[in-house]
Amino acid sequence: MTAAATLAVGLTLVMSGVARALPSQDPANTTYMVDGLVRGLAQVGNEIWIGGNFSHVLDPNGNAVQTVSSLAAFYSTNDALDGKPVSTVTPPLVTNGSAAPIIYDESVVGTTLYIAGKFTSVGGLTRKNIAAIDTTDGSVISTFHPNAEALNSVFATTTNIYAGGKALKNYLPDGSSAPGWTSPVAAVDTSLRGHNLRPAFRDITLVGGTVVVACACDSLKDASGVHPAKALAQIDGTTGAVLDWSSTGSAIPQGLSPDGGAFGEAVVADSTTIWLAAGGSDFTASYGFSPDSENGAQNWKTDTSGSSQTITFYQGQLVIGGHFQWVESPTESNCGNFSRPNTGCYHAPRLVSMDPASGAVNLVPGTTEPWNPGICCKYQGVWALLTDSSGTRLHVGGLFTRVGGAWTCTLLPSPCGSSGWKLAGAKKHYYYARLSDAP
């Protein structure tokens, strides 16, 4: 399922005025898993294809039952097959010479799955960092074989395949470069952050003829020159030209400082609004997206104590994953960081839901606690989210080994900060889990 299709599921419910619930905080027990990092999720029919860096499919008890390489497929149905590995298709093996392969992103058009990341071979055929797979039989599509740099993102339509690494590429379905396109190139200012940040287009979506990107970038270079940029940018979908936001008259949207450390991780958008998950200064935010003066204007910004890394809609509400522990509350707008958190914020490790109109954290009905399935016990947390076409299952991928249960503070009456928390009742879920309306 593409990001656009996932967004459509959520927004249809918002616009229809249908009040829907967030999924259960306890995961399904029948879900098969994998033995390593999950970064990409995509739906093809009643199948969920997951990509990342792993070598085995695991049964619900954690036993290896299938050898794979960075790509696997599971059923998402309402029968006995639900959550099990797809039996009719064998995903092709993804390799990277002597190095570890990784799939960072996926996009679907019909029954064709596009994968992007770091690899040199797919299904025994040479493919450099991008490939197209026929999901009906698992074969690699022979006509699509661009020679790409390492990639973080891919977004495909029937006519164009946008792929983001340090540069934003635009391919046709036959693998050739789109005519008239000049690839914008991202750059970072190494003086702005205390860690190395590789310039990259980390996520891509398309609204009309405009490509909207979440980027690790402090500037973007197109055919006309270098443009100061930050975290979120819009690109002409035909030419590759960097577009200014009308609210600021520059390529930097409102509320982001040219000298700040923010960088974009993930983005969803419709015809009037963009929602961004960001790292660096760590937040989730909403921006206006329209031809008038609201273009690029910040609607709201919600602080998180670590990076917001992925974002999607579930039944009209935003769901955000990352490696944060704390999220902004009505009384506290700065949540600190992992080692020095502001405990006046909501404790909502790695997965939280927000109102798309205000950024307010959604609470469990009848309580003062945020909706938060217990995602544990790895630092990086949640990297991938997908609401399937039923609108009643949230698929979660990343770096974690436990899901569900409830967090309790073991230091009471003293508050718990970065330590002292215990997750009781969590279930083993290695790197992939499903949360449903009815677990």
Side-chain angles (χ1 to χ4, degrees), residues 363-370:
L363 306 181
V364 175
T367 78
T368 58
E369 299 298 321

Side-chain angles (χ1 to χ4, degrees), residues 21 25 45 84 88 96 109 121 225 281 302 307 344 351 375 439:
Q25 296 183 98
K84 295 181 179 179
T88 57
N96 191 27
V109 177
S121 173
S281 46
T302 299
S307 292
L351 194 61
I375 304 292

Side-chain angles (χ1 to χ4, degrees), residues 101-397:
I102 186 167
I103 294 170
Y104 281 116
D105 200 12
E106 305 172 350
S107 187
V108 173
V109 177
T111 58
T112 299
L113 174 71
Y114 293 90
I115 59 173
K118 293 182 181 180
F119 49 82
T120 57
S121 173
V122 181
L125 299 178
T126 299
R127 290 293 184 273
K128 191 171 181 182
N129 302 318
I130 190 168
I133 298 164
D134 184 341
T135 59
T136 64
D137 59 12
S139 64
V140 179
I141 295 175
S142 60
T143 55
F144 185 80
H145 51 88
N147 188 22
E149 64 181 351
L151 295 173
N152 292 79
S153 56
V154 62
F155 187 94
T157 71
T158 57
T159 57
N160 298 85
I161 298 92
Y162 299 95
K166 183 177 180 180
L168 181 62
K169 300 292 186 177
N170 182 1
Y171 301 110
L172 301 182
D174 65 3
S176 63
S177 296
W181 176 268
T182 300
S183 294
V185 179
V188 298
D189 183 341
T190 57
S191 70
L192 295 181
R193 301 169 186 88
H195 63 281
N196 291 329
L197 181 68
R198 185 171 66 87
F201 291 88
R202 293 198 170 190
D203 198 19
I204 308 167
T205 192
L206 183 69
V207 183
T210 301
V211 179
V212 180
V213 296
C215 60
C217 62
D218 299 309
S219 65
L220 296 173
K221 182 179 180 180
D222 65 6
S224 68
V226 177
H227 307 260
K230 191 74 64 175
L232 179 66
Q234 52 180 347
I235 310 292
D236 186 290
T238 301
T239 67
V242 177
L243 305 176
D244 286 343
W245 303 98
S246 62
S247 63
T248 61
S250 76
I252 301 178
Q254 190 180 75
L256 295 179
S257 167
D259 299 323
F263 56 89
E265 291 276 22
V267 63
V268 293
D270 64 14
S271 60
T272 63
T273 310
I274 298 169
W275 294 270
L276 174 72
S281 46
D282 303 335
F283 60 87
T284 300
S286 167
Y287 300 88
F289 186 52
S290 59
D292 59 25
S293 60
E294 297 303 313
N295 183 264
Q298 189 178 94
N299 299 320
W300 54 260
K301 180 180 178 183
T302 299
D303 191 59
T304 54
S305 67
S307 292
S308 295
Q309 298 171 163
T310 181
I311 187 168
T312 194
F313 269 87
Y314 186 92
Q315 298 192 7
Q317 299 301 307
L318 286 176
V319 179
I320 300 95
H323 68 76
F324 51 81
Q325 300 287 322
W326 301 83
V327 182
E328 182 175 331
S329 69
T331 61
E332 300 292 340
S333 60
N334 187 335
C335 295
N337 55 37
F338 180 79
S339 59
R340 294 183 177 180
N342 179 348
T343 57
C345 292
Y346 288 121
H347 185 245
R350 305 179 185 88
L351 194 61
V352 73
S353 175
M354 299 178 190
D355 183 332
S358 67
V361 171
N362 288 319
L363 306 181
V364 175
T367 78
T368 58
E369 299 298 321
W371 174 87
N372 174 246
I375 304 292
C376 188
C377 300
K378 300 281 187 178
Y379 174 76
Q380 289 189 25
V382 177
W383 277 109
L385 294 168
L386 171 71
T387 300
D388 69 18
S389 58
S390 73
T392 61
R393 291 187 185 89
L394 179 69
H395 301 263
V396 184

